[in-house]
PDB file of all heavy atoms in Angstrom:
ATOM      1  N   LEU A 428     -47.354 -76.938  -2.012  1.00 85.00           N
ATOM      2  CA  LEU A 428     -48.348 -76.120  -2.701  1.00 85.00           C
ATOM      3  C   LEU A 428     -48.941 -76.881  -3.884  1.00 85.00           C
ATOM      4  O   LEU A 428     -48.291 -77.755  -4.465  1.00 85.00           O
ATOM      5  CB  LEU A 428     -47.718 -74.807  -3.195  1.00 85.00           C
ATOM      6  CG  LEU A 428     -47.062 -73.918  -2.143  1.00 85.00           C
ATOM      7  CD1 LEU A 428     -46.366 -72.756  -2.821  1.00 85.00           C
ATOM      8  CD2 LEU A 428     -48.079 -73.427  -1.136  1.00 85.00           C
ATOM      9  N   LYS A 429     -50.162 -76.531  -4.244  1.00 89.00           N
ATOM     10  CA  LYS A 429     -50.840 -77.160  -5.377  1.00 89.00           C
ATOM     11  C   LYS A 429     -51.417 -76.056  -6.274  1.00 89.00           C
ATOM     12  O   LYS A 429     -52.080 -75.140  -5.782  1.00 89.00           O
ATOM     13  CB  LYS A 429     -51.952 -78.089  -4.887  1.00 89.00           C
ATOM     14  CG  LYS A 429     -52.569 -78.951  -5.970  1.00 89.00           C
ATOM     15  CD  LYS A 429     -53.629 -79.867  -5.374  1.00 89.00           C
ATOM     16  CE  LYS A 429     -52.998 -80.943  -4.514  1.00 89.00           C
ATOM     17  NZ  LYS A 429     -54.011 -81.908  -4.013  1.00 89.00           N
ATOM     18  N   PHE A 430     -51.137 -76.161  -7.582  1.00 88.00           N
ATOM     19  CA  PHE A 430     -51.598 -75.149  -8.530  1.00 88.00           C
ATOM     20  C   PHE A 430     -52.352 -75.803  -9.684  1.00 88.00           C
ATOM     21  O   PHE A 430     -51.995 -76.892 -10.135  1.00 88.00           O
ATOM     22  CB  PHE A 430     -50.414 -74.386  -9.153  1.00 88.00           C
ATOM     23  CG  PHE A 430     -49.570 -73.639  -8.170  1.00 88.00           C
ATOM     24  CD1 PHE A 430     -48.383 -74.187  -7.706  1.00 88.00           C
ATOM     25  CD2 PHE A 430     -49.943 -72.384  -7.716  1.00 88.00           C
ATOM     26  CE1 PHE A 430     -47.589 -73.509  -6.813  1.00 88.00           C
ATOM     27  CE2 PHE A 430     -49.150 -71.701  -6.828  1.00 88.00           C
ATOM     28  CZ  PHE A 430     -47.975 -72.257  -6.364  1.00 88.00           C
ATOM     29  N   GLU A 431     -53.359 -75.101 -10.156  1.00 92.00           N
ATOM     30  CA  GLU A 431     -53.984 -75.434 -11.434  1.00 92.00           C
ATOM     31  C   GLU A 431     -53.393 -74.507 -12.489  1.00 92.00           C
ATOM     32  O   GLU A 431     -53.333 -73.301 -12.287  1.00 92.00           O
ATOM     33  CB  GLU A 431     -55.500 -75.254 -11.363  1.00 92.00           C
ATOM     34  CG  GLU A 431     -56.207 -76.269 -10.481  1.00 92.00           C
ATOM     35  CD  GLU A 431     -57.714 -76.095 -10.512  1.00 92.00           C
ATOM     36  OE1 GLU A 431     -58.207 -75.343 -11.381  1.00 92.00           O
ATOM     37  OE2 GLU A 431     -58.390 -76.702  -9.670  1.00 92.00           O
ATOM     38  N   TYR A 432     -52.948 -75.083 -13.603  1.00 94.00           N
ATOM     39  CA  TYR A 432     -52.299 -74.271 -14.631  1.00 94.00           C
ATOM     40  C   TYR A 432     -53.083 -74.350 -15.938  1.00 94.00           C
ATOM     41  O   TYR A 432     -53.949 -75.201 -16.121  1.00 94.00           O
ATOM     42  CB  TYR A 432     -50.857 -74.721 -14.852  1.00 94.00           C
ATOM     43  CG  TYR A 432     -50.690 -76.191 -15.151  1.00 94.00           C
ATOM     44  CD1 TYR A 432     -50.916 -76.691 -16.433  1.00 94.00           C
ATOM     45  CD2 TYR A 432     -50.292 -77.075 -14.145  1.00 94.00           C
ATOM     46  CE1 TYR A 432     -50.762 -78.040 -16.714  1.00 94.00           C
ATOM     47  CE2 TYR A 432     -50.135 -78.432 -14.425  1.00 94.00           C
ATOM     48  CZ  TYR A 432     -50.376 -78.913 -15.706  1.00 94.00           C
ATOM     49  OH  TYR A 432     -50.231 -80.245 -15.992  1.00 94.00           O
ATOM     50  N   LYS A 433     -52.762 -73.442 -16.863  1.00 95.00           N
ATOM     51  CA  LYS A 433     -53.414 -73.446 -18.186  1.00 95.00           C
ATOM     52  C   LYS A 433     -52.677 -74.376 -19.134  1.00 95.00           C
ATOM     53  O   LYS A 433     -53.283 -75.117 -19.901  1.00 95.00           O
ATOM     54  CB  LYS A 433     -53.473 -72.031 -18.741  1.00 95.00           C
ATOM     55  CG  LYS A 433     -54.429 -71.133 -17.972  1.00 95.00           C
ATOM     56  CD  LYS A 433     -54.869 -69.944 -18.798  1.00 95.00           C
ATOM     57  CE  LYS A 433     -56.049 -69.239 -18.131  1.00 95.00           C
ATOM     58  NZ  LYS A 433     -56.564 -68.129 -18.955  1.00 95.00           N
ATOM     59  N   ASN A 434     -51.341 -74.300 -19.113  1.00 95.00           N
ATOM     60  CA  ASN A 434     -50.538 -75.262 -19.854  1.00 95.00           C
ATOM     61  C   ASN A 434     -49.171 -75.361 -19.202  1.00 95.00           C
ATOM     62  O   ASN A 434     -48.683 -74.399 -18.610  1.00 95.00           O
ATOM     63  CB  ASN A 434     -50.411 -74.904 -21.344  1.00 95.00           C
ATOM     64  CG  ASN A 434     -49.789 -73.542 -21.560  1.00 95.00           C
ATOM     65  OD1 ASN A 434     -48.609 -73.344 -21.289  1.00 95.00           O
ATOM     66  ND2 ASN A 434     -50.583 -72.603 -22.056  1.00 95.00           N
ATOM     67  N   LEU A 435     -48.558 -76.535 -19.281  1.00 95.00           N
ATOM     68  CA  LEU A 435     -47.269 -76.771 -18.641  1.00 95.00           C
ATOM     69  C   LEU A 435     -46.550 -77.891 -19.378  1.00 95.00           C
ATOM     70  O   LEU A 435     -47.107 -78.986 -19.539  1.00 95.00           O
ATOM     71  CB  LEU A 435     -47.459 -77.133 -17.167  1.00 95.00           C
ATOM     72  CG  LEU A 435     -46.193 -77.122 -16.294  1.00 95.00           C
ATOM     73  CD1 LEU A 435     -45.692 -75.696 -16.106  1.00 95.00           C
ATOM     74  CD2 LEU A 435     -46.483 -77.742 -14.929  1.00 95.00           C
ATOM     75  N   GLN A 436     -45.351 -77.602 -19.860  1.00 94.00           N
ATOM     76  CA  GLN A 436     -44.584 -78.584 -20.630  1.00 94.00           C
ATOM     77  C   GLN A 436     -43.282 -78.912 -19.918  1.00 94.00           C
ATOM     78  O   GLN A 436     -42.625 -78.028 -19.365  1.00 94.00           O
ATOM     79  CB  GLN A 436     -44.278 -78.034 -22.030  1.00 94.00           C
ATOM     80  CG  GLN A 436     -45.506 -77.754 -22.874  1.00 94.00           C
ATOM     81  CD  GLN A 436     -46.277 -79.013 -23.222  1.00 94.00           C
ATOM     82  OE1 GLN A 436     -45.681 -80.066 -23.468  1.00 94.00           O
ATOM     83  NE2 GLN A 436     -47.601 -78.924 -23.251  1.00 94.00           N
ATOM     84  N   SER A 437     -42.921 -80.187 -19.941  1.00 92.00           N
ATOM     85  CA  SER A 437     -41.623 -80.588 -19.417  1.00 92.00           C
ATOM     86  C   SER A 437     -40.531 -79.908 -20.233  1.00 92.00           C
ATOM     87  O   SER A 437     -40.584 -79.876 -21.462  1.00 92.00           O
ATOM     88  CB  SER A 437     -41.472 -82.105 -19.485  1.00 92.00           C
ATOM     89  OG  SER A 437     -40.200 -82.490 -19.006  1.00 92.00           O
ATOM     90  N   SER A 438     -39.547 -79.379 -19.547  1.00 90.00           N
ATOM     91  CA  SER A 438     -38.489 -78.630 -20.230  1.00 90.00           C
ATOM     92  C   SER A 438     -37.142 -79.302 -19.981  1.00 90.00           C
ATOM     93  O   SER A 438     -37.062 -80.527 -19.942  1.00 90.00           O
ATOM     94  CB  SER A 438     -38.505 -77.181 -19.743  1.00 90.00           C
ATOM     95  OG  SER A 438     -37.592 -76.396 -20.464  1.00 90.00           O
ATOM     96  N   ASN A 439     -36.114 -78.545 -19.753  1.00 87.00           N
ATOM     97  CA  ASN A 439     -34.753 -79.072 -19.667  1.00 87.00           C
ATOM     98  C   ASN A 439     -34.539 -79.901 -18.396  1.00 87.00           C
ATOM     99  O   ASN A 439     -34.957 -79.508 -17.311  1.00 87.00           O
ATOM    100  CB  ASN A 439     -33.768 -77.897 -19.685  1.00 87.00           C
ATOM    101  CG  ASN A 439     -32.356 -78.335 -19.962  1.00 87.00           C
ATOM    102  OD1 ASN A 439     -32.133 -79.392 -20.548  1.00 87.00           O
ATOM    103  ND2 ASN A 439     -31.390 -77.536 -19.538  1.00 87.00           N
ATOM    104  N   SER A 440     -33.893 -81.056 -18.530  1.00 85.00           N
ATOM    105  CA  SER A 440     -33.512 -81.886 -17.396  1.00 85.00           C
ATOM    106  C   SER A 440     -32.046 -82.263 -17.557  1.00 85.00           C
ATOM    107  O   SER A 440     -31.614 -82.623 -18.647  1.00 85.00           O
ATOM    108  CB  SER A 440     -34.366 -83.156 -17.325  1.00 85.00           C
ATOM    109  OG  SER A 440     -35.724 -82.821 -17.102  1.00 85.00           O
ATOM    110  N   VAL A 441     -31.279 -82.191 -16.467  1.00 85.00           N
ATOM    111  CA  VAL A 441     -29.838 -82.439 -16.560  1.00 85.00           C
ATOM    112  C   VAL A 441     -29.364 -83.291 -15.383  1.00 85.00           C
ATOM    113  O   VAL A 441     -30.034 -83.389 -14.355  1.00 85.00           O
ATOM    114  CB  VAL A 441     -29.026 -81.122 -16.584  1.00 85.00           C
ATOM    115  CG1 VAL A 441     -29.380 -80.281 -17.778  1.00 85.00           C
ATOM    116  CG2 VAL A 441     -29.241 -80.338 -15.291  1.00 85.00           C
ATOM    117  N   GLY A 442     -28.164 -83.880 -15.550  1.00 73.00           N
ATOM    118  CA  GLY A 442     -27.490 -84.582 -14.460  1.00 73.00           C
ATOM    119  C   GLY A 442     -28.115 -85.892 -14.078  1.00 73.00           C
ATOM    120  O   GLY A 442     -28.445 -86.111 -12.917  1.00 73.00           O
ATOM    121  N   PHE A 443     -28.275 -86.809 -15.024  1.00 51.00           N
ATOM    122  CA  PHE A 443     -28.879 -88.108 -14.706  1.00 51.00           C
ATOM    123  C   PHE A 443     -27.960 -88.945 -13.822  1.00 51.00           C
ATOM    124  O   PHE A 443     -26.768 -89.037 -14.034  1.00 51.00           O
ATOM    125  CB  PHE A 443     -29.183 -88.885 -15.993  1.00 51.00           C
ATOM    126  CG  PHE A 443     -30.427 -88.425 -16.671  1.00 51.00           C
ATOM    127  CD1 PHE A 443     -30.390 -87.359 -17.555  1.00 51.00           C
ATOM    128  CD2 PHE A 443     -31.642 -89.036 -16.410  1.00 51.00           C
ATOM    129  CE1 PHE A 443     -31.539 -86.918 -18.189  1.00 51.00           C
ATOM    130  CE2 PHE A 443     -32.792 -88.606 -17.042  1.00 51.00           C
ATOM    131  CZ  PHE A 443     -32.745 -87.539 -17.938  1.00 51.00           C
ATOM    132  N   ASP A 444     -28.562 -89.529 -12.805  1.00 51.00           N
ATOM    133  CA  ASP A 444     -27.879 -90.479 -11.927  1.00 51.00           C
ATOM    134  C   ASP A 444     -27.989 -91.863 -12.574  1.00 51.00           C
ATOM    135  O   ASP A 444     -29.079 -92.350 -12.825  1.00 51.00           O
ATOM    136  CB  ASP A 444     -28.558 -90.474 -10.550  1.00 51.00           C
ATOM    137  CG  ASP A 444     -27.808 -91.332  -9.554  1.00 51.00           C
ATOM    138  OD1 ASP A 444     -27.527 -92.489  -9.878  1.00 51.00           O
ATOM    139  OD2 ASP A 444     -27.534 -90.837  -8.445  1.00 51.00           O
ATOM    140  N   ASN A 445     -26.851 -92.507 -12.833  1.00 49.00           N
ATOM    141  CA  ASN A 445     -26.851 -93.778 -13.559  1.00 49.00           C
ATOM    142  C   ASN A 445     -27.601 -94.890 -12.832  1.00 49.00           C
ATOM    143  O   ASN A 445     -28.141 -95.798 -13.437  1.00 49.00           O
ATOM    144  CB  ASN A 445     -25.406 -94.229 -13.825  1.00 49.00           C
ATOM    145  CG  ASN A 445     -24.718 -93.323 -14.832  1.00 49.00           C
ATOM    146  OD1 ASN A 445     -25.382 -92.766 -15.703  1.00 49.00           O
ATOM    147  ND2 ASN A 445     -23.405 -93.183 -14.716  1.00 49.00           N
ATOM    148  N   GLU A 446     -27.596 -94.835 -11.491  1.00 48.00           N
ATOM    149  CA  GLU A 446     -28.251 -95.892 -10.731  1.00 48.00           C
ATOM    150  C   GLU A 446     -29.763 -95.729 -10.729  1.00 48.00           C
ATOM    151  O   GLU A 446     -30.506 -96.670 -10.975  1.00 48.00           O
ATOM    152  CB  GLU A 446     -27.722 -95.915  -9.300  1.00 48.00           C
ATOM    153  CG  GLU A 446     -26.254 -96.327  -9.215  1.00 48.00           C
ATOM    154  CD  GLU A 446     -25.790 -96.427  -7.786  1.00 48.00           C
ATOM    155  OE1 GLU A 446     -26.629 -96.282  -6.869  1.00 48.00           O
ATOM    156  OE2 GLU A 446     -24.591 -96.652  -7.573  1.00 48.00           O
ATOM    157  N   SER A 447     -30.239 -94.534 -10.443  1.00 46.00           N
ATOM    158  CA  SER A 447     -31.683 -94.341 -10.309  1.00 46.00           C
ATOM    159  C   SER A 447     -32.344 -93.893 -11.605  1.00 46.00           C
ATOM    160  O   SER A 447     -33.551 -93.955 -11.735  1.00 46.00           O
ATOM    161  CB  SER A 447     -31.974 -93.297  -9.231  1.00 46.00           C
ATOM    162  OG  SER A 447     -31.470 -92.038  -9.626  1.00 46.00           O
ATOM    163  N   GLU A 448     -31.524 -93.458 -12.556  1.00 52.00           N
ATOM    164  CA  GLU A 448     -32.007 -92.936 -13.824  1.00 52.00           C
ATOM    165  C   GLU A 448     -33.001 -91.780 -13.633  1.00 52.00           C
ATOM    166  O   GLU A 448     -33.896 -91.567 -14.448  1.00 52.00           O
ATOM    167  CB  GLU A 448     -32.664 -94.051 -14.660  1.00 52.00           C
ATOM    168  CG  GLU A 448     -31.685 -95.138 -15.065  1.00 52.00           C
ATOM    169  CD  GLU A 448     -32.318 -96.144 -16.006  1.00 52.00           C
ATOM    170  OE1 GLU A 448     -33.532 -96.040 -16.266  1.00 52.00           O
ATOM    171  OE2 GLU A 448     -31.591 -97.022 -16.498  1.00 52.00           O
ATOM    172  N   SER A 449     -32.854 -91.064 -12.545  1.00 55.00           N
ATOM    173  CA  SER A 449     -33.702 -89.893 -12.314  1.00 55.00           C
ATOM    174  C   SER A 449     -32.841 -88.646 -12.409  1.00 55.00           C
ATOM    175  O   SER A 449     -31.697 -88.636 -11.945  1.00 55.00           O
ATOM    176  CB  SER A 449     -34.357 -89.956 -10.931  1.00 55.00           C
ATOM    177  OG  SER A 449     -33.373 -89.985  -9.921  1.00 55.00           O
ATOM    178  N   PRO A 450     -33.337 -87.584 -13.049  1.00 61.00           N
ATOM    179  CA  PRO A 450     -32.530 -86.379 -13.230  1.00 61.00           C
ATOM    180  C   PRO A 450     -32.315 -85.631 -11.918  1.00 61.00           C
ATOM    181  O   PRO A 450     -33.188 -85.611 -11.061  1.00 61.00           O
ATOM    182  CB  PRO A 450     -33.374 -85.541 -14.197  1.00 61.00           C
ATOM    183  CG  PRO A 450     -34.773 -86.006 -13.977  1.00 61.00           C
ATOM    184  CD  PRO A 450     -34.668 -87.454 -13.639  1.00 61.00           C
ATOM    185  N   GLU A 451     -31.132 -85.051 -11.762  1.00 79.00           N
ATOM    186  CA  GLU A 451     -30.854 -84.232 -10.589  1.00 79.00           C
ATOM    187  C   GLU A 451     -31.623 -82.922 -10.659  1.00 79.00           C
ATOM    188  O   GLU A 451     -31.990 -82.356  -9.636  1.00 79.00           O
ATOM    189  CB  GLU A 451     -29.354 -83.963 -10.482  1.00 79.00           C
ATOM    190  CG  GLU A 451     -28.542 -85.214 -10.175  1.00 79.00           C
ATOM    191  CD  GLU A 451     -27.060 -84.924 -10.092  1.00 79.00           C
ATOM    192  OE1 GLU A 451     -26.693 -83.740 -10.153  1.00 79.00           O
ATOM    193  OE2 GLU A 451     -26.280 -85.880  -9.981  1.00 79.00           O
ATOM    194  N   ILE A 452     -31.820 -82.435 -11.878  1.00 89.00           N
ATOM    195  CA  ILE A 452     -32.588 -81.204 -12.072  1.00 89.00           C
ATOM    196  C   ILE A 452     -33.633 -81.444 -13.159  1.00 89.00           C
ATOM    197  O   ILE A 452     -33.299 -81.884 -14.257  1.00 89.00           O
ATOM    198  CB  ILE A 452     -31.690 -80.022 -12.500  1.00 89.00           C
ATOM    199  CG1 ILE A 452     -30.518 -79.828 -11.528  1.00 89.00           C
ATOM    200  CG2 ILE A 452     -32.513 -78.733 -12.574  1.00 89.00           C
ATOM    201  CD1 ILE A 452     -29.530 -78.770 -11.957  1.00 89.00           C
ATOM    202  N   SER A 453     -34.881 -81.161 -12.841  1.00 91.00           N
ATOM    203  CA  SER A 453     -35.961 -81.218 -13.827  1.00 91.00           C
ATOM    204  C   SER A 453     -36.661 -79.875 -13.846  1.00 91.00           C
ATOM    205  O   SER A 453     -36.659 -79.145 -12.843  1.00 91.00           O
ATOM    206  CB  SER A 453     -36.977 -82.319 -13.464  1.00 91.00           C
ATOM    207  OG  SER A 453     -36.363 -83.583 -13.462  1.00 91.00           O
ATOM    208  N   SER A 454     -37.258 -79.548 -14.970  1.00 94.00           N
ATOM    209  CA  SER A 454     -37.939 -78.257 -15.045  1.00 94.00           C
ATOM    210  C   SER A 454     -39.157 -78.318 -15.959  1.00 94.00           C
ATOM    211  O   SER A 454     -39.243 -79.190 -16.837  1.00 94.00           O
ATOM    212  CB  SER A 454     -36.975 -77.164 -15.537  1.00 94.00           C
ATOM    213  OG  SER A 454     -36.538 -77.422 -16.860  1.00 94.00           O
ATOM    214  N   TRP A 455     -40.086 -77.414 -15.704  1.00 95.00           N
ATOM    215  CA  TRP A 455     -41.294 -77.270 -16.501  1.00 95.00           C
ATOM    216  C   TRP A 455     -41.515 -75.790 -16.785  1.00 95.00           C
ATOM    217  O   TRP A 455     -41.177 -74.934 -15.954  1.00 95.00           O
ATOM    218  CB  TRP A 455     -42.519 -77.801 -15.749  1.00 95.00           C
ATOM    219  CG  TRP A 455     -42.484 -79.270 -15.474  1.00 95.00           C
ATOM    220  CD1 TRP A 455     -43.117 -80.253 -16.162  1.00 95.00           C
ATOM    221  CD2 TRP A 455     -41.800 -79.933 -14.403  1.00 95.00           C
ATOM    222  NE1 TRP A 455     -42.881 -81.489 -15.606  1.00 95.00           N
ATOM    223  CE2 TRP A 455     -42.069 -81.318 -14.524  1.00 95.00           C
ATOM    224  CE3 TRP A 455     -40.972 -79.495 -13.364  1.00 95.00           C
ATOM    225  CZ2 TRP A 455     -41.545 -82.259 -13.642  1.00 95.00           C
ATOM    226  CZ3 TRP A 455     -40.440 -80.418 -12.482  1.00 95.00           C
ATOM    227  CH2 TRP A 455     -40.730 -81.784 -12.622  1.00 95.00           C
ATOM    228  N   VAL A 456     -42.069 -75.497 -17.938  1.00 96.00           N
ATOM    229  CA  VAL A 456     -42.374 -74.118 -18.318  1.00 96.00           C
ATOM    230  C   VAL A 456     -43.806 -74.064 -18.824  1.00 96.00           C
ATOM    231  O   VAL A 456     -44.243 -74.964 -19.562  1.00 96.00           O
ATOM    232  CB  VAL A 456     -41.418 -73.589 -19.411  1.00 96.00           C
ATOM    233  CG1 VAL A 456     -41.815 -72.176 -19.827  1.00 96.00           C
ATOM    234  CG2 VAL A 456     -39.978 -73.593 -18.920  1.00 96.00           C
ATOM    235  N   GLY A 457     -44.543 -73.032 -18.431  1.00 96.00           N
ATOM    236  CA  GLY A 457     -45.914 -72.933 -18.894  1.00 96.00           C
ATOM    237  C   GLY A 457     -46.570 -71.623 -18.540  1.00 96.00           C
ATOM    238  O   GLY A 457     -45.892 -70.617 -18.308  1.00 96.00           O
ATOM    239  N   MET A 458     -47.880 -71.633 -18.481  1.00 97.00           N
ATOM    240  CA  MET A 458     -48.643 -70.422 -18.206  1.00 97.00           C
ATOM    241  C   MET A 458     -49.712 -70.749 -17.155  1.00 97.00           C
ATOM    242  O   MET A 458     -50.336 -71.806 -17.192  1.00 97.00           O
ATOM    243  CB  MET A 458     -49.305 -69.896 -19.476  1.00 97.00           C
ATOM    244  CG  MET A 458     -50.065 -68.588 -19.289  1.00 97.00           C
ATOM    245  SD  MET A 458     -50.669 -67.917 -20.877  1.00 97.00           S
ATOM    246  CE  MET A 458     -51.978 -69.091 -21.259  1.00 97.00           C
ATOM    247  N   ILE A 459     -49.889 -69.821 -16.235  1.00 96.00           N
ATOM    248  CA  ILE A 459     -50.879 -69.975 -15.177  1.00 96.00           C
ATOM    249  C   ILE A 459     -51.631 -68.663 -15.025  1.00 96.00           C
ATOM    250  O   ILE A 459     -51.061 -67.583 -15.241  1.00 96.00           O
ATOM    251  CB  ILE A 459     -50.202 -70.369 -13.838  1.00 96.00           C
ATOM    252  CG1 ILE A 459     -51.230 -70.687 -12.756  1.00 96.00           C
ATOM    253  CG2 ILE A 459     -49.252 -69.294 -13.366  1.00 96.00           C
ATOM    254  CD1 ILE A 459     -50.609 -71.268 -11.485  1.00 96.00           C
ATOM    255  N   SER A 460     -52.909 -68.743 -14.691  1.00 95.00           N
ATOM    256  CA  SER A 460     -53.647 -67.502 -14.461  1.00 95.00           C
ATOM    257  C   SER A 460     -53.209 -66.909 -13.129  1.00 95.00           C
ATOM    258  O   SER A 460     -52.897 -67.643 -12.180  1.00 95.00           O
ATOM    259  CB  SER A 460     -55.159 -67.759 -14.442  1.00 95.00           C
ATOM    260  OG  SER A 460     -55.586 -68.240 -13.190  1.00 95.00           O
TER     261      SER A 460
END
Side-chain angles (χ1 to χ4, degrees):
L428 303 174
K429 189 178 290 185
F430 299 98
E431 291 183 12
Y432 54 80
K433 291 201 167 184
N434 59 69
L435 192 69
Q436 298 295 323
S437 179
S438 186
N439 195 23
S440 296
V441 299
F443 281 86
D444 186 309
N445 291 330
E446 293 184 6
S447 65
E448 296 186 355
S449 60
E451 293 179 6
I452 307 175
S453 298
S454 64
W455 296 260
V456 177
M458 183 173 71
I459 186 172
S460 82

